[in-house]
Amino acid sequence: MLKVFKARAGGNGSGRSRSGRGKAAVTFAARLAVDGVSRRYDQTLALDDVSLEVEPGKILCLLGPSGCGKTTLLRIIAGVEAPSSGSVLIDGQEVAGPNRFVPPEKRGVGLMFQDFALFPHLTILDNVAFGLRSLTKQQAQAEAYAALERVGLGDYERDYPHILSGGQQQRVALARAIAPRPGIVLMDEPFSGLDSQLRESMREETLAIIRESRATCIVVTHDSEEAMRMGDVIALMRDGRVVQTGPAPELYRTPKDLFAARTFSDLNELPARVQGGRAETALGTFAASDFVDGTEVIVCVRQGGIRLLKPGEGTLGRVLDTRFLGDVGLLEIAVEGHEGPILARVRAADMPVRGDELGVGVDEGGVLVFPARND
Ligand code: ADP
């Protein structure tokens, strides 16, 4: 069996060249709205008044730390869980809410979970055909085969899941999710079981297949870079609530609070008190006109927003440590008046050496000021 697998697996492990792939069946993308949804489990308020809208054909990434309610929201949209209050609408029709509960199989929603959840006793084709029970067996197998072709695994139709690599199992799970041509595809941490290189290529392929299928898609992730790469829109969650929704550049450039800023950037955080609309820190004084005098704030300076100057310019600093990270270098710099090192990311070519004295400046465009109490 292993020999057969190897012979067919080809150079990229996909079992087929890219050109040999089929096209994803085209879907009518659905508009999704989540309106004031809460979900309580005994003492835990897993979701607290969550509202979201996803335009047809767009990809929304639900981003947030473990336990913030992402999976619960996905399960409620899928219909495997009911909200305690609020409603879910697909194309304007209530599918969950005070007056209605449409079962999962009637919602036109495809699901792809973290562990792929393939049935070991079914062939790969039957795994994909599993969600196509409203069709005749022949039709279901034809549709399943087309979906398998699309993910490059048509040759494996008669095999069983155990012979597949992790990436291939992920493709089968994707084929199964898109085979019924759902208007909405929901993915829960779909790449977290894969190693980092495979994750990258699977992410790109999955994105291409989802775009081609034209389904509306929600992807759950706790990885901000993944969310920025995949999402047309990102909904950042914390403690059961949506903190901020928007395209990646908006969340990166204008995060609503310190939590959102920390999610998208590596920051230096300098505490300060506002005086005359400005916040004075060890790295200089910055505009803080939105705050009344006396407010305790945190001035955030992105690690990439630190500028290295000649000694005598900016704030005097001494290089404590340097790390080579490829294109960039990470520096730890001691500056007077700030406890702990300032971290700076600079072009590797511009790296000073440990012990160097230099001036430290700040790119003012990259400075964010938040109230300290938001921490
Ligand atoms: P995430 O997907 O962001 O990691 P979850 O949606 O899984 O978060 O969980 C949100 C919160 O709800 C957590 O505190 C979790 O413990 C709780 N929770 C989720 N499902 C259940 C359940 N079936 N019973 C009790 N608590 C649950």
Side-chain angles (χ1 to χ4, degrees):
M1 191 61 105
L2 187 62
K3 207 169 161 197
V4 175
F5 164 62
K6 273 192 174 159
R8 285 187 296 189
N12 62 4
S14 67
R16 276 197 162 210
S17 69
R18 246 189 125 68
S19 58
R21 293 184 178 194
K23 285 269 180 196
V26 172
T27 297
F28 291 101
R31 176 183 302 276
L32 173 74
V34 172
D35 186 14
V37 162
S38 295
R39 179 66 167 102
R40 182 174 284 286
Y41 297 106
D42 301 324
Q43 299 306 309
T44 312
L45 190 56
L47 292 175
D48 182 7
D49 194 17
V50 168
S51 295
L52 282 177
E53 274 201 51
V54 195
E55 296 287 318
K58 297 288 182 195
I59 299 177
L60 174 109
C61 282
L62 279 180
L63 171 68
S66 179
C68 73
K70 306 179 294 294
T71 299
T72 303
L73 182 56
L74 209 69
R75 289 168 60 82
I76 286 174
I77 296 167
V80 289
E81 197 87 60
S84 307
S85 59
S87 47
V88 177
L89 293 94
I90 296 179
D91 283 333
Q93 303 293 314
E94 187 174 290
V95 293
N99 309 313
R100 233 172 144 219
F101 187 82
V102 177
E105 64 278 10
K106 301 245 164 78
R107 290 189 184 192
V109 167
L111 286 172
M112 192 169 135
F113 292 109
Q114 199 168 348
D115 59 2
F116 316 136
L118 301 180
F119 297 114
H121 59 287
L122 295 185
T123 63
I124 288 164
L125 189 70
D126 286 342
N127 262 284
V128 177
F130 190 77
L132 297 167
R133 277 170 294 180
S134 60
L135 304 180
T136 64
K137 183 157 189 200
Q138 210 176 11
Q139 283 171 328
Q141 297 220 325
E143 289 284 316
Y145 184 74
L148 264 184
E149 278 269 278
R150 178 58 195 96
V151 300
L153 292 176
D155 287 357
Y156 290 84
E157 58 172 323
R158 290 174 209 282
D159 292 318
Y160 287 83
H162 71 270
I163 74 153
L164 300 178
S165 68
Q168 289 171 324
Q169 289 190 32
Q170 211 263 359
R171 287 193 180 97
V172 175
L174 177 61
R176 187 176 55 185
I178 61 168
R181 307 186 191 200
I184 298 175
V185 174
L186 305 175
M187 302 187 181
D188 192 358
E189 302 260 5
F191 314 109
S192 61
L194 307 176
D195 65 55
S196 64
Q197 239 179 340
L198 190 54
R199 193 181 311 152
E200 186 127 334
S201 59
M202 279 311 300
R203 193 194 283 145
E204 296 310 312
E205 275 187 45
T206 303
L207 209 50
I209 290 169
I210 292 292
R211 292 246 186 252
E212 196 180 286
S213 81
R214 301 200 199 139
T216 305
C217 181
I218 299 193
V219 185
V220 160
T221 179
H222 62 267
D223 177 344
S224 58
E225 198 179 317
E226 183 160 285
M228 288 197 272
R229 277 169 181 244
M230 292 197 76
D232 296 311
V233 175
I234 298 171
L236 176 64
M237 295 186 65
R238 184 189 195 184
D239 296 339
R241 301 187 70 102
V242 173
V243 175
Q244 190 171 0
T245 309
E250 189 177 308
L251 269 67
Y252 177 81
R253 291 192 194 117
T254 52
K256 209 165 165 183
D257 61 16
L258 188 53
F259 167 74
R262 282 176 179 159
T263 303
F264 292 98
S265 296
D266 293 316
L267 301 171
N268 292 287
E269 296 181 18
L270 300 113
R273 187 189 295 269
V274 176
Q275 274 313 323
R278 298 192 65 82
E280 191 180 339
T281 73
L283 293 182
T285 306
F286 302 96
S289 50
D290 295 344
F291 301 93
V292 297
D293 277 5
T295 309
E296 303 277 355
V297 292
I298 306 280
V299 176
C300 299
V301 181
R302 292 196 171 101
Q303 291 178 8
I306 301 281
R307 295 283 163 258
L308 305 186
L309 309 169
K310 296 192 187 93
E313 295 174 5
T315 309
L316 182 65
R318 189 167 45 81
V319 177
L320 297 175
D321 205 358
T322 63
R323 295 276 159 79
F324 176 75
L325 303 178
D327 292 339
V328 296
L330 182 64
L331 302 180
E332 288 187 15
I333 307 169
V335 296
E336 210 163 279
H338 180 69
E339 238 178 82
I342 294 290
L343 299 177
R345 277 171 197 268
V346 298
R347 286 193 328 151
D350 298 339
M351 281 249 277
V353 295
R354 192 182 303 173
D356 274 1
E357 292 215 332
L358 38 69
V360 179
V362 169
D363 179 357
E364 290 219 18
V367 175
L368 301 159
V369 184
F370 298 107
R373 65 180 156 74
N374 245 353
D375 192 3

